[in-house]
Amino acid sequence: QVQLVESGGGLVQAGGSLRLSCAASGRTFGNYNMGWFRQAPGKEREFVASISRTGISTYYADSVKGRFTISRDNAKNTLYLQMNSLKPEDTAVYYCAARRPATTGNAYDYWGQGTQVTVSS
């Protein structure tokens, strides 16, 4: 089992940048595929980005492609999301999630509590 704690959220003006971090407990962080999701008020949670266990493969939602970068440091048990050129529509609670190797499809097994990102216009 892994516990996830997000940090780095806050209030930023449109066009600004934020870097989110997700600290994972345990010594098996490198065994998990990781992802970032977000949920805006009144909307369903949506996929933002994901990264493979080694960090070689990354995937992005079209809405953030070219502006956000997902990365990981397995030695530090930490997942990152660098967010540039932020827009008001990026305002949401951002969650990190972990998927065990045995889990199929797009399901994730463990979730953090989330960190609020607010982008003012």
Side-chain angles (χ1 to χ4, degrees):
Q1 188 170 352
V2 62
Q3 292 183 324
L4 305 172
V5 179
E6 301 94 338
S7 62
L11 174 64
V12 64
Q13 289 187 333
S17 298
L18 280 176
R19 188 195 197 198
L20 304 184
S21 298
C22 173
S25 65
R27 295 175 289 180
T28 58
F29 176 70
N31 289 343
Y32 297 91
N33 293 300
M34 300 295 297
W36 285 101
F37 292 77
R38 66 187 182 186
Q39 187 167 19
K43 295 186 177 181
E44 294 187 352
R45 186 171 58 196
E46 64 175 359
F47 168 80
V48 174
S50 64
I51 188 167
S52 61
R53 285 173 284 171
T54 61
I56 291 177
S57 298
T58 57
Y59 304 92
Y60 297 92
D62 288 343
S63 59
V64 306
K65 201 171 295 182
R67 300 188 298 122
F68 291 10
T69 302
I70 187 172
S71 62
R72 66 190 298 163
D73 186 335
N74 288 345
K76 295 183 178 180
N77 284 8
T78 304
L79 175 72
Y80 302 101
L81 185 68
Q82 178 67 43
M83 305 186 295
N84 298 329
S85 303
L86 283 161
K87 305 175 181 180
E89 51 263 46
D90 294 319
T91 295
V93 177
Y94 283 71
Y95 300 89
C96 68
R99 182 169 70 230
R100 293 176 295 178
T103 299
T104 58
N106 294 321
Y108 282 79
D109 301 291
Y110 307 107
W111 295 83
Q113 293 300 307
T115 185
Q116 176 70 47
V117 172
T118 303
V119 184
S120 63
S121 57

